[in-house]
Amino acid sequence: MIDKSKSVKCFSEAQKFIPGGVNSPVRAFKAVGGQPLFIDSADGAYLRDIDGNEYIEFINSWGPMILGHKNPMIQEAVIKAVQGSLSFGAPTAREVEIAELICSMVPSIEKIRMVNSGTEATMSAIRLARGYTNKDKIIKFEGCYHGHGDSFLIAAGSGAATMGHPDSPGVTESVAKDTITLPYNDLEVVEGILVEASDSIAAIILEPVVGNMGCVLPVNGYLQGLRELCDKHNVLLIFDEVMTGFRLSRGGAQELFGVTPDLTTLGKIIGGGMPVGAYGGKKEIMDLVSPSGPVYQAGTLSGNPVAMSAGMAMLNHLNENPDIYESLEATTKSMAEGIRSNLNDLDLNYTINTIGSMFSLFFTEKPVVDFESAKSCDFDLFGKYFNEMLNEGIYLAPSQYESLFVSTSITTDMVDKVVAANKSVLASLLK
Ligand SMILES: *Cc1c(COP(=O)(O)O)cnc(C)c1O
């Protein structure tokens, strides 16, 4: 058995002073019935916990560390920035450089505003969409995550799904009534609502490829269909690419699927591991943002020089090395093929969804295309699987509803190790 005693002790101390012992819920391992590991440091594809155990990891800080940990280029950029002070609260040339670079990598973004998290980006984007369209309601989809802004913590209403209800105490009914929650990958239901109520709908926001109910792909024509519906009904289309931006390609999911949103939200990779988010899109819309327009949005630490330097180093590298995406996909595919062949050998028919460097093994035989099908997984079995894999030195996402991320630090030897562990763990669990 691996010695986790320092993590165990740290967690019990943490629970005295931090709600649930963590600063973001999924880190607590609640969904998998375990004890979180407290991390000391990381290098490449390895996480090291405070007991000195090492794990091959597939979380990448929930996305940002696409080049693995301790990438020397990013480290150097940060160190250099720190030497020039940590924050000014005044504009820097670096902010202009990174804005220019992002606009060139993601052409639907003509102007961009930097914020400090993905949550801030999506909150600001829907405020802007409302300001621009003079309409109040937004449509979002079940199973998509857009951060913890009030407007997004809304569950589907019963019946006609025209009225949402709060998904968390503290979110008011009056906020909930402006969010319509619909099933993902179903164009007809979107069309039905738009035909009925497009006069009151400002925007549709979605993850163009979902990472937050596990990895779920848009069905053929879905994104294109949403684009057409939005055009027809005068509704803005917002792609939340906080996860997929710079991960699925240099230009994100929108480049991969060839569909152009009106607004895009970014985060995670854009900060290279520092806290950064951004939203951007058509000039005409973005020019409504304060101080050029009346839609207010601000941030004391927005465009922080250290964060911008980390992001710049990351994005420059991805921009100059587009072959990274092919190699990430090849690594991910080989892992998926290995696991699929394990499943065949074990007579299991579980679903694997994968695209680019995103990957999910769902403990269900149903195709997973929306939240309803994602819910059909055997969560109990997943929890056991997660903990056994951890004992094998492999750190997967501690929830069936999270996608795995492959970084450029994952080698073929590591893939072989993961595939072998997957087989022995599954075989022992199913005995
Ligand atoms: C992570 C995530 C967010 C929230 O970003 P934070 O930086 O955690 O606030 C929003 N949207 C998507 C698609 C995400 O994956």
Side-chain angles (χ1 to χ4, degrees), residues 255-307:
E255 177 184 313
L256 206 60
F257 288 89
V259 176
T260 307
D262 299 297
L263 292 173
T264 299
T265 54
L266 296 166
K268 298 189 171 128
I269 290 177
I270 205 180
M274 298 290 290
V276 182
Y279 65 104
K282 289 200 178 112
K283 258 190 207 131
E284 172 190 314
I285 305 174
M286 290 304 293
D287 278 337
L288 284 191
V289 176
S290 185
S292 66
V295 175
Y296 194 70
Q297 186 270 308
T300 301
L301 293 171
S302 294
N304 174 269
V306 182

Side-chain angles (χ1 to χ4, degrees), residues 188-339:
E188 261 172 50
V189 68
V190 177
E191 182 164 26
I193 295 281
L194 288 181
V195 164
E196 202 179 292
S198 67
D199 286 357
S200 62
I201 295 167
I204 295 178
I205 184 168
L206 78 156
E207 293 180 71
V209 168
V210 191
N212 287 292
M213 51 178 149
C215 174
V216 172
L217 278 63
V219 295
N220 247 340
Y222 182 61
L223 299 176
Q224 193 63 50
L226 288 177
R227 177 69 273 175
E228 283 160 17
L229 285 173
C230 283
D231 288 340
K232 186 167 168 203
H233 294 280
N234 233 337
V235 166
L236 295 186
L237 182 62
I238 306 173
F239 278 3
D240 180 356
E241 297 226 44
V242 169
M243 187 179 283
T244 51
F246 315 107
R247 173 161 292 281
L248 292 183
S249 76
R250 285 186 293 182
Q254 54 194 270
E255 177 184 313
L256 206 60
F257 288 89
V259 176
T260 307
D262 299 297
L263 292 173
T264 299
T265 54
L266 296 166
K268 298 189 171 128
I269 290 177
I270 205 180
M274 298 290 290
V276 182
Y279 65 104
K282 289 200 178 112
K283 258 190 207 131
E284 172 190 314
I285 305 174
M286 290 304 293
D287 278 337
L288 284 191
V289 176
S290 185
S292 66
V295 175
Y296 194 70
Q297 186 270 308
T300 301
L301 293 171
S302 294
N304 174 269
V306 182
M308 292 303 101
S309 299
M312 196 67 194
M314 171 68 91
L315 297 187
N316 263 329
H317 184 76
L318 295 174
N319 194 37
E320 287 158 12
N321 298 278
D323 49 318
I324 278 180
Y325 293 103
E326 281 152 44
S327 89
L328 281 172
E329 182 169 22
T331 309
T332 313
K333 270 197 176 140
S334 74
M335 189 166 80
E337 274 159 21
I339 291 177

Side-chain angles (χ1 to χ4, degrees), residues 396-411:
L396 306 172
S399 164
Q400 176 78 87
Y401 288 141
E402 301 287 352
S403 173
L404 300 189
F405 301 114
V406 171
S407 74
T408 56
S409 298
I410 298 289
T411 62

Side-chain angles (χ1 to χ4, degrees), residues 27 33 94 98 110 128 170 208 226 238 253 281 298 302 305 325 332 334 351 357 363 379 401 412:
R27 295 179 198 170
R94 237 164 300 173
I98 198 168
E110 296 170 351
L128 176 57
L226 288 177
I238 306 173
S302 294
Y325 293 103
T332 313
S334 74
T351 295
S357 55
F363 285 71
F379 290 88
Y401 288 141
T412 42

